[in-house]
Amino acid sequence: MTDTADLPPTDTADMPHWEKRFRAPRIGLPDWAEDAPDRSLFVSNATGTFELYAWDRATGAQRQATDRPNGTTDGTLSPDGEWIWWFSDTDGDEFGVWMRQPFAGGPDEPATPGLAPSYPGGLAIGRDGTAIVGRSTDDDGSTIHVVRPGEPPAEIYRHRESAGVGDLAHDGSLIAIEHTEHGDAMHSAIRVVRPDGSTVAELDDTNGGTEELGLSVLGFAPVDGDSRLLVGHQRRGRWEPMIWDPLTGKETALEIDLPGDVGADWYPDGSALLVEHEYQARSELWRYDLGEEPTGAILARVETPAGTVSGSTARPDGTVEFLWSSAAQPPEVRSTSGAVVLDPPGMKAPGSVPVRDVWVEGPGGRIHALVQQPAGDGPFPTVFDIHGGPTWHDSDSFASSPAAWVDHGFAVVRVNYRGSTGYGRAWTDALKHRVGLIELEDISAVREWAVDSGLADPEQLVLAGGSWGGYLTLLGLGTQPEAWALGLAAVPVADYVTAYNDEMEALKAMDRTLLGGTPEEVPERFEASSPLTYVDAVRAPVYISAGVNDPRCPIRQVENYVQRLEQRSHPHEVYRYDAGHGSLVVEERIKQVRLELDFTQRYLTARRQTA
């Protein structure tokens, strides 16, 4: 039975702006079938849950393709546009199988019969219906299978360390695999194989795991008989693309003289690259015409507004579609033709306030932070909203949660600590062995700036975050107990050793890389980096939310931390919900934000009254 308090209001006239931002229909960047570009697939929350939608551009017809209680976002189209493939897990546990349904509608069917449920490890679909399916399980590690129509799956790859499908050549003759057989889960190597699993070529910048240089598969050239593979590399201290032909071994450097990280994808005819450039929390697009030789290449700006491009694709007619937003303006799917590609019907999300950039000297170098604040003069109660990942970064993009805090009179500070992407390889790779403690040093430096500058009220500082940000919240409350008035941790790592033992295999590999071994091999590092170690030092009230089906930050280790708080009779509240690592249900997300706001306002009010 549904609690009426959880139902959306039928009259939006008096609905607060922060709720409208969550409820307003959103649309993701449409994916399109390579050989049938009028057939597209996109994600939307139009029904109140994020699901997949089919869109026939020729007729304008749209239909909802998936409908599950906890939502669906992982899907793709077959090259001919005849099939929608989508990943079916159980209530957000990320463990399941691929399903498919006809583009025009019809019953779902198993897409890869013969393959048992697993965590997904990449998918590539060929023009003859052959699928290359990556999987991982705790028992088998990483496996890759060739699934041909009407035939049993054929395993072509197996290894205990993390690996996955990168891409399938346009003619189906080559398969690119990203792997970490060398044991460094942060820096992948690339192997290209035939469909029978035989090796064609290897590319390993780690030199067998001795150098911290990663590679990523960006995609084969979209032309039959063209074996060129677009590869991301870190050879010059940042991510940038190059072209590698695994049949000849030829590597073609691309002279793209832009600061920051550079990614790329092919234009549909293979003659140019769509370049996505990320620098200092913002992004922009460029077209790189390859020419006959690299000396003939031309780099030209693709005009986009200031802010963040969260995804982009070049269409066969030469136009570029991109998902854009800024901290002040909600996301839109735009085209270089000047049109808005899809405009969802119904309520529009209110805007928010823009971010300003702050640079603070820290123990490992200059730290970039993004600040939003309400009208008026500080100091303000301030939320340090810490991003997850850890290899991710906050950007000048629209986010409903920070906007909600600003609406309620809080300043919001987001810190791109060491470990964050977008500031060069050295900044990301600085996160080793003293995991958690390194990031908190940077957060502490920005906290001191926030107080000294007059932005933040030192008696009303809130440490908050989800996933890795939730982990840093709990760790910060224990290692910096005097600094924070309260903490809000969503889907956190709370007990590092138990989390390691219970989490999916790919995350175990990442933890071994970050900490230098297993809990048995480096127990002192796991202890130093675990929030549970410092739980008795926590002074601030703690709010924790956790998904009971979460495979990334499993519930048992959260319960261990909560039990320790209970033994101390320490003020805390816990909200458990029936989903995985977050929720795709709009009302559930609103409920969680409402609980966080209520918890914060109650405890900060009590703190002020007793001061």
Side-chain angles (χ1 to χ4, degrees):
M1 186 173 182
T2 303
D3 186 341
T4 56
D6 294 336
L7 292 174
T10 55
D11 183 3
T12 62
D14 297 324
M15 184 187 298
H17 276 10
W18 75 266
E19 290 190 29
K20 289 181 180 179
R21 295 190 192 97
F22 283 98
R23 290 199 173 97
R26 298 276 188 90
I27 286 179
L29 181 71
D31 182 22
W32 51 275
E34 293 180 43
D35 298 337
D38 279 343
R39 294 192 167 188
S40 290
L41 186 70
F42 62 88
V43 175
S44 176
N45 67 339
T47 63
T49 301
F50 284 93
E51 295 286 1
L52 296 170
Y53 288 75
W55 174 30
D56 187 331
R57 296 179 185 232
T59 65
Q62 298 178 12
R63 71 172 184 88
Q64 183 177 338
T66 56
D67 184 8
R68 302 194 302 152
N70 284 297
T72 314
T73 59
D74 196 355
T76 191
L77 291 169
S78 59
D80 59 9
E82 292 296 320
W83 293 96
I84 297 170
W85 287 55
W86 60 275
F87 191 75
S88 175
D89 65 354
T90 302
D91 296 329
D93 67 358
E94 302 181 43
F95 195 83
V97 297
W98 286 99
M99 303 291 289
R100 69 175 193 171
Q101 67 174 255
F103 181 85
D108 293 306
E109 65 182 37
T112 58
L115 290 181
S118 68
Y119 297 112
L123 172 71
I125 306 172
R127 280 157 178 76
D128 63 353
T130 297
I132 314 302
V133 184
R135 304 167 65 252
S136 71
T137 65
D138 293 342
D139 293 334
D140 296 333
S142 301
T143 60
I144 295 176
H145 306 258
V146 175
V147 183
R148 294 183 173 89
E151 298 182 18
E155 181 181 301
I156 63 167
Y157 179 91
R158 175 180 292 258
H159 202 278
R160 286 303 310 172
E161 298 292 346
S162 297
V165 177
D167 197 20
L168 177 66
H170 192 271
D171 61 8
S173 63
L174 301 172
I175 301 165
I177 298 172
E178 281 190 29
H179 71 83
T180 59
E181 294 174 7
H182 47 266
D184 181 351
M186 292 182 69
H187 303 93
S188 295
I190 297 174
R191 179 175 299 142
V192 173
V193 302
R194 303 281 186 192
D196 63 4
S198 59
T199 298
V200 174
E202 303 263 5
L203 196 61
D204 181 8
D205 282 5
T206 73
N207 192 23
T210 61
E211 297 185 41
E212 294 182 334
L213 290 172
L215 297 168
S216 64
V217 174
L218 301 179
F220 280 106
V223 179
D224 247 2
D226 192 335
S227 57
R228 293 177 300 166
L229 181 64
L230 191 61
V231 172
H233 69 90
Q234 297 179 301
R235 296 173 182 176
R236 299 197 302 172
R238 61 180 183 138
W239 281 107
E240 54 187 323
M242 69 174 185
I243 294 175
W244 174 49
D245 189 330
L247 295 184
T248 66
K250 180 181 179 181
E251 297 180 11
T252 304
L254 305 176
E255 299 300 327
I256 301 177
D257 189 20
L258 298 170
D261 286 338
V262 179
D265 197 2
W266 297 95
Y267 271 76
D269 62 0
S271 67
L273 302 177
L274 178 59
V275 173
E276 186 167 315
H277 171 226
E278 294 185 352
Y279 184 56
Q280 297 184 350
R282 291 165 181 84
S283 54
E284 58 188 12
L285 298 177
W286 298 75
R287 178 183 170 113
Y288 187 87
D289 284 287
L290 293 167
E292 292 298 322
E293 295 292 339
T295 54
I298 300 174
L299 184 66
R301 178 76 180 269
V302 176
E303 292 300 323
T304 60
T308 295
V309 174
S310 301
S312 60
T313 182
R315 294 278 295 165
D317 63 1
T319 61
V320 174
E321 295 177 352
F322 55 96
L323 179 61
W324 172 90
S325 72
S326 70
Q329 294 180 261
E332 289 183 331
V333 181
R334 298 187 176 190
S335 169
T336 51
S337 68
V340 173
V341 177
L342 284 174
D343 186 18
M347 178 172 55
K348 305 302 180 185
S352 186
V353 300
V355 295
R356 61 184 174 100
D357 300 271
V358 171
W359 292 89
V360 177
E361 292 299 329
R366 294 179 74 219
I367 308 159
H368 189 198
L370 302 174
V371 176
Q372 290 173 279
Q373 65 189 71
D377 298 323
F380 302 101
T382 300
V383 175
F384 275 69
D385 186 10
I386 309 304
H387 73 73
T391 49
W392 189 249
H393 67 272
D394 278 316
S395 62
D396 181 9
S397 58
F398 196 76
S400 297
S401 291
W405 288 109
V406 174
D407 286 357
H408 286 81
F410 289 79
V412 178
V413 179
R414 291 181 283 170
V415 181
N416 283 331
Y417 50 74
R418 277 172 288 174
S420 301
T421 53
Y423 300 88
R425 179 172 62 86
W427 190 257
T428 302
D429 288 350
L431 184 58
K432 286 288 180 67
H433 299 174
R434 294 180 60 250
V435 172
L437 305 173
I438 289 172
E439 303 96 295
L440 286 168
E441 289 176 352
D442 293 347
I443 292 167
S444 180
V446 177
R447 184 191 72 235
E448 291 180 13
W449 164 84
V451 172
D452 292 345
S453 69
L455 172 75
D457 180 346
E459 299 301 317
Q460 298 188 80
L461 292 176
V462 180
L463 187 57
S467 191
W468 197 263
Y471 158 65
L472 293 177
T473 294
L474 296 184
L475 189 64
L477 295 180
T479 59
Q480 303 170 354
E482 305 288 340
W484 306 103
L486 57 88
L488 310 171
V491 291
V493 174
D495 169 3
Y496 217 140
V497 173
T498 302
Y500 176 88
N501 290 328
D502 290 355
E503 68 194 3
M504 61 173 63
E505 185 60 37
L507 294 183
K508 290 181 180 178
M510 177 63 77
D511 284 338
R512 291 193 296 271
T513 296
L514 290 174
L515 290 157
T518 66
E520 293 74 25
E521 293 167 337
V522 288
E524 71 287 349
R525 291 178 182 170
F526 275 82
E527 181 180 13
S529 293
S530 179
L532 189 66
T533 301
Y534 311 97
V535 65
D536 290 338
V538 173
R539 296 183 57 183
V542 186
Y543 174 86
I544 298 174
S545 59
V548 297
N549 304 312
D550 191 344
R552 298 175 179 269
C553 298
I555 191 67
R556 184 167 72 105
Q557 52 94 28
V558 173
E559 301 292 7
N560 291 348
Y561 187 90
V562 171
Q563 185 178 25
R564 290 283 295 274
L565 292 176
E566 291 172 345
Q567 290 170 354
R568 293 178 54 206
S569 298
H570 185 79
H572 70 281
E573 293 179 14
V574 183
Y575 174 63
R576 302 167 183 86
Y577 56 95
D578 188 18
H581 198 61
S583 177
L584 300 175
V585 180
V586 171
E587 289 304 316
E588 174 60 38
R589 186 69 189 110
I590 290 173
K591 181 178 181 180
Q592 292 177 23
V593 173
R594 187 180 290 119
L595 288 170
E596 291 177 351
L597 288 165
D598 176 68
F599 180 89
T600 301
Q601 291 168 330
R602 279 190 287 113
Y603 277 99
L604 287 188
T605 298
R607 183 182 178 94
R608 288 192 298 268
Q609 291 173 346
T610 58

